[in-house]
């Protein structure tokens, strides 16, 4: 069995007196999709912001390839191979696909001019590798579909060295067909075998289609850690509901 690329032990995050994460353990393996599930307010975003260097943990330890690490900034996390694609994607709609791809990391000649042709080619090729043939990367991002934008953000994270790719609800704002396109992109990244993917979702069906491992959060704690093989359908519904018996809720609903 492969070593986890990243391991998290006893991660605690407090905001003043409020405990958003109450001791979370997590392991992510290259070539696997790890679904992170839980209801609103469970702590999913807080967990990934801690992994991405946005928040400093109050307690606990993050390990990369077995070595303890401290992230003091998003830059530290990114240098350690943590690539995060947030829900808003941080894209500038008015600028071209290529300019967005290379935002802040432009390729320049010795004279300081942009190597536009080279960057256009790379942006095109990198997106094609994970699923979209966007033939004209000089077009504005505003002309892309929502699914294509996700693919752009994912391709960019990988090109700039992500070994852990964190996707925060990448399908939630999309129509059904585009959701499937994004899942296909995720599976192509998985197939490379060298990248660990953390996939945050509310959607049971999506996680079932792609995930190798599952971690369920509720009120900042892990209430279930399962694999594709161990996760039972009823158990999933119970865990998605934060541990409350879904059947009870359904009975209450039926009794109204
Ligand atoms: N900066 C902050 N200061 C204080 N409380 C916070 C802060 N960030 C998050 N919280 C609280 O921590 C808890 C977990 O929030 P978080 O955003 O991590 O949940 P989530 O699982 O991502 O939920 P959602 O599915 O709604 O995105 C919530 O109760 C939230 O109000
Ligand atoms: Mg969230």
């Amino acid at each position: 069995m492969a070593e986890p690329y990243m391991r998290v032990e006893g991660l605690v995050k407090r905001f003043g007196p409020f405990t958003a994460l109450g001791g979370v353990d997590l392991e992510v393996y290259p070539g696997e999709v790890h679904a992170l599930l839980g209801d609103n307010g469970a702590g999913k975003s807080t967990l990934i912001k801690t992994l991405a260097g946005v928040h400093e943990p109050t307690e606990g330890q993050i390990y990369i390839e077995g070595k303890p690490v401290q992230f003091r900034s998003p830059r530290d996390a990114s240098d350690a191979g943590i690539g995060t694609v947030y829900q808003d994607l941080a894209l500038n709609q008015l600028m071209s696909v290529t300019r967005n791809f290379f935002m802040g990391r432009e390729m320049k000649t010795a004279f300081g001019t942009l190597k536009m042709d080279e960057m256009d080619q790379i942006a095109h090729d990198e997106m094609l590798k994970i699923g979209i043939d966007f033939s004209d990367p000089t077009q504005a991002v505003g002309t892309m579909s929502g699914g294509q934008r996700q693919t752009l953000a994912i391709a960019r994270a990988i090109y700039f060295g992500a070994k852990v790719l964190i996707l925060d609800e990448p399908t939630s704002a999309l129509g059904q067909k585009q959701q499937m396109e994004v899942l296909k992109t995720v599976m192509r990244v998985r197939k490379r075998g060298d990248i660990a993917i953390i996939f945050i979702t509310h959607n049971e069906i999506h996680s079932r289609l792609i995930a190798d491992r599952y971690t369920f959060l509720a009120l900042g704690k892990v209430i279930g850690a399962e694999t594709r093989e161990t996760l039972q359908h009823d158990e999933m519904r119970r865990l998605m509901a934060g541990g409350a018996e879904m059947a009870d809720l359904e009975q209450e609903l039926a009794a109204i």
Side-chain angles (χ1 to χ4, degrees), residues 134 141-150 174 178:
F134 201 81
V141 159
T143 66
M144 294 179 117
S145 71
Q148 288 176 326
R149 287 177 210 188
Q150 281 287 341
L174 304 176
Q178 287 189 34

Side-chain angles (χ1 to χ4, degrees), residues 64-115:
I64 300 278
E65 295 183 307
K67 292 190 204 75
V69 291
Q70 268 85 39
F71 301 146
R72 299 218 157 69
S73 67
R75 185 59 200 251
D76 281 356
S78 155
D79 289 348
I82 314 297
T84 309
V85 176
Y86 292 103
Q87 226 171 330
D88 64 10
L89 298 181
L91 297 173
N92 183 331
Q93 312 233 1
L94 300 176
M95 291 177 80
S96 75
V97 171
T98 301
R99 291 306 298 270
N100 272 282
F101 193 98
F102 284 94
M103 186 78 68
R105 293 180 275 209
E106 288 80 5
M107 297 169 70
K108 292 181 180 161
T109 65
F111 306 106
T113 53
L114 294 174
K115 296 186 182 175

Side-chain angles (χ1 to χ4, degrees), residues 15 18 20 39-46 202:
F15 295 109
F18 181 76
D39 221 338
N40 296 109
K44 304 180 299 293
S45 294
T46 304
H202 276 93

